Amino acid sequence: MAAAPAVARPRISLRHRLAERGVDRTLLLLLPAVVFVVALFIYPFVYGLQLSFQPQAGSDAANKYGTGPFADYRLFFSDPYLRNTIWTTLKIGLPAALFNVLASVPIAYRMRGRFRGKRAVTTILVVPITLGTVLTAEGLLAFMGPTGWLNRILLDLGIVDHPVRLTHNYWGVVFSLVITGFPFAFLLTLSYLTGIDPTLERAAATLGAGWWQRFRHITLPLLAPGLAITFCLSFVLAFSVFPSAIMVGEPARQTRVISIAAFHAAFEQYDYSMASAIAMIMGAVELIVIGLVLGWRARLYKGATGGKG
Amino acid sequence: MTAIMEAPPAEEKAPRRVALRPGAWIVWGSVVFFLLILLGVVGAVVVNSFGRKWFGGWLPKGWTTHWYGATWKEFDLSGVLTVTLEVALAVVVVSVLVGVPAAYALARRNFPGKRVLMVAFLLPILIPPITYGVPLATVLYKFHLAGRLSGVILANLVPAVPFVILVMTPFIEQIDPKIEAAARMCGARTRVIFTRILGPLLIPGMLAAAILVLVRTVGMFELTFLTAGADSQTLVVALYYSVSAAGIRAQQETDAMAVIYTLSMLVLLVAALRFVNPTQLVTQIKERD
């Protein structure tokens, strides 16, 4: 009889010790989400990863490089038509993301204070998010096409002699990325900017700093970490460009981005291991870029963007 | 430094002069330019969808609403819209049910391995949908889930659940845990705390998260495209197919469908902006005037 509490004690104390480190029954609430992420994200990812090391019999990769584990990757990096999709994607995604972030800074800077109609202007700038890539592409084809309004205006004003080709090439895709990506970058930048304590800038003003000095030495350093995040998210959006690259781009050559290659391998050649290999390469390239940006960010100001002085 | 910052805020309440400097002109000019381009892009689609025939020239020759009826019938839009609604609602309900409890645990507890878990929840948002969409679709096809409504819903849940967690965690963090403690002191059981104390406090955040997930799901092209079968297409995917089938069908039908899509998205966004202040998603600082 006397043994019962002695047995029970270590159990209770273990529970207490766990609770002290924050492990208690509340964590059970996490269970559905964890099961979910493991089943629908991590498992497919790992499955794809191992599939990419098992070249499908009869596929191009297996015919050329045998059924060794790296045949798909070797084919990808030796075939210029596949390999160059990386550069094509970066060439479209990086400038578009960079432009979206850089353009949103001055506009958000203008709009950080309070003024009449701010909500209306914000709403109008955010509307393009609703357009979606497909409508944007459709609109670009109609608006910037050879007989579209834009070319008509340029011709009538005498700026050009013959219609400028802005669709079905590199520029069409970049335009579509700017139209869909800019509102997003703008929203994030604006929210980071409004998070910076305005009294800091006023303090600098009382010390005689001009607007450029205030921006350069007060606002920008506080904003830079947020800008790095904004750039990363814009880049993710731009990097996965898919429908617009097909519709307003030139999917066979100039805008054959890596997602087109992955889709082509999976659903036109039914070579799932090659498709997984391309998807893994795509993820790796993207994570490298994000890693570089965030690594650079880690060297900046580390506190919260609130900047409480 | 502190002495200067603590100086009494000398706020002038007078209305601001409208005197624009060159920098402001450039900024507002480029905003107007962007909006004009945008107007052109949207206007071209809208005008074409109402146009009878438009080959060159500023405006089409004659107007008609015929294309809306035609596209509604030919693409079975009532079916497509039903599917879109079913997918979006299912994704919203499941992601809120799964995400909010997880966000609560993440907001209230510090435990070993929390950072790893946060990364696992962040990755589906950071990695482009096509990258994990291809392996995900492969797995879903293996289990015969893809090509059906359930597969589309499962695929769309992958970014939705982490998104809910991401939005809700800071929201729950700002609710004072003392309120729960006080309720417990007064004898409330866990179930009562969740239904009568936390529930009402959480509703604004849950509403915001739900509407954002709704907008994202209706607009999500890649994942739905990779997993949808013939009778489980959402509106975006149907729109994409109708564009690639151009040449068989009139361009105007596609444009009419695009207008329908934009209108439904616009309604959702306006509803969302009523509940969510988009500029305060990241940081919530009290705006001083």
Side-chain angles (χ1 to χ4, degrees), chain B residues 38-280:
Chain B
L38 197 66
L39 197 70
V41 166
V42 178
V45 174
V46 173
V47 166
N48 197 24
S49 75
F50 284 108
R52 210 178 283 280
K53 234 186 232 169
W54 193 9
F55 302 111
W58 284 100
L59 288 172
K61 300 183 177 75
W63 305 93
T64 174
T65 51
H66 159 77
W67 304 114
Y68 284 86
T71 192
W72 191 275
K73 256 209 319 263
E74 272 194 52
F75 293 101
D76 183 29
L77 277 197
S78 51
V80 170
L81 281 175
T82 316
V83 169
T84 311
L85 208 64
E86 279 170 358
V87 170
L89 287 181
V91 168
V92 166
V93 169
V94 176
S95 63
V96 167
L97 281 182
V98 173
V100 172
Y104 177 80
L106 284 175
R108 285 284 187 259
R109 294 282 183 275
N110 271 315
F111 51 90
K114 185 175 171 180
R115 292 181 68 93
V116 178
L117 209 59
M118 284 304 276
V119 171
F121 286 139
L122 260 179
L123 274 181
I125 296 181
L126 271 186
I127 292 180
I130 284 269
T131 309
Y132 62 81
V134 171
L136 178 68
T138 314
V139 168
L140 287 178
Y141 274 111
K142 196 175 84 167
F143 290 110
H144 304 290
L145 284 167
R148 287 198 269 150
L149 204 60
S150 49
V152 175
I153 293 172
L154 281 177
N156 274 297
L157 276 173
V158 174
V161 170
F163 187 78
V164 170
I165 294 177
L166 215 66
V167 172
M168 286 306 286
T169 307
F171 187 85
I172 296 175
E173 269 169 356
Q174 52 144 20
I175 296 176
D176 196 342
K178 282 183 196 138
I179 298 174
E180 290 158 55
R184 217 175 268 282
M185 277 279 295
C186 297
R189 292 175 164 277
T190 308
R191 197 173 60 84
V192 177
I193 286 181
F194 269 94
T195 51
R196 307 211 19 206
I197 310 288
L198 279 177
L201 285 172
L202 285 179
I203 278 183
M206 272 158 55
L207 214 56
I211 289 175
L212 290 174
V213 167
L214 194 71
V215 173
R216 280 172 60 104
T217 307
V218 174
M220 170 59 79
F221 171 77
E222 286 91 349
L223 291 174
T224 316
F225 178 63
L226 291 177
T227 50
D231 53 356
S232 53
Q233 289 176 7
T234 60
L235 196 51
V236 225
V237 177
L239 186 57
Y240 174 81
Y241 279 122
S242 82
V243 173
S244 40
I248 309 168
R249 302 222 167 68
Q251 178 79 33
Q252 287 94 327
E253 285 182 26
T254 309
D255 286 346
M257 183 139 81
V259 171
I260 294 174
Y261 169 75
T262 310
L263 279 182
S264 50
M265 279 299 266
L266 206 61
V267 169
L268 284 181
L269 193 86
V270 169
L273 285 176
R274 279 190 66 90
F275 293 103
V276 194
N277 184 355
T279 61
Q280 297 202 331

Side-chain angles (χ1 to χ4, degrees), chain A residues 47-48 51-56 59 72 262-263 265-279, chain B residues 134-135 137-139 141-142 226:
Chain A
Y47 178 80
L51 200 63
S52 72
F53 291 116
Q54 298 169 349
Q56 216 158 291
S59 66
D72 282 322
F263 177 76
F267 297 101
E268 279 162 32
Q269 298 174 333
Y270 296 103
D271 184 350
Y272 290 114
S273 54
M274 186 70 204
S276 303
I278 298 176
Chain B
V134 171
T138 314
V139 168
Y141 274 111
K142 196 175 84 167
L226 291 177

Side-chain angles (χ1 to χ4, degrees), chain A residues 21 26 119 138 149 191 286, chain B residues 58 110 128 251 255 273 279:
Chain A
R21 301 192 60 186
T26 313
R119 210 175 164 93
E138 185 72 19
W149 283 336
S191 72
E286 196 216 48
Chain B
W58 284 100
N110 271 315
Q251 178 79 33
D255 286 346
L273 285 176
T279 61

Side-chain angles (χ1 to χ4, degrees), chain A residues 249-269:
Chain A
E250 193 189 9
R253 285 189 313 131
Q254 217 179 356
T255 65
R256 188 180 158 83
V257 291
I258 192 162
S259 46
I260 294 182
F263 177 76
H264 181 71
F267 297 101
E268 279 162 32
Q269 298 174 333

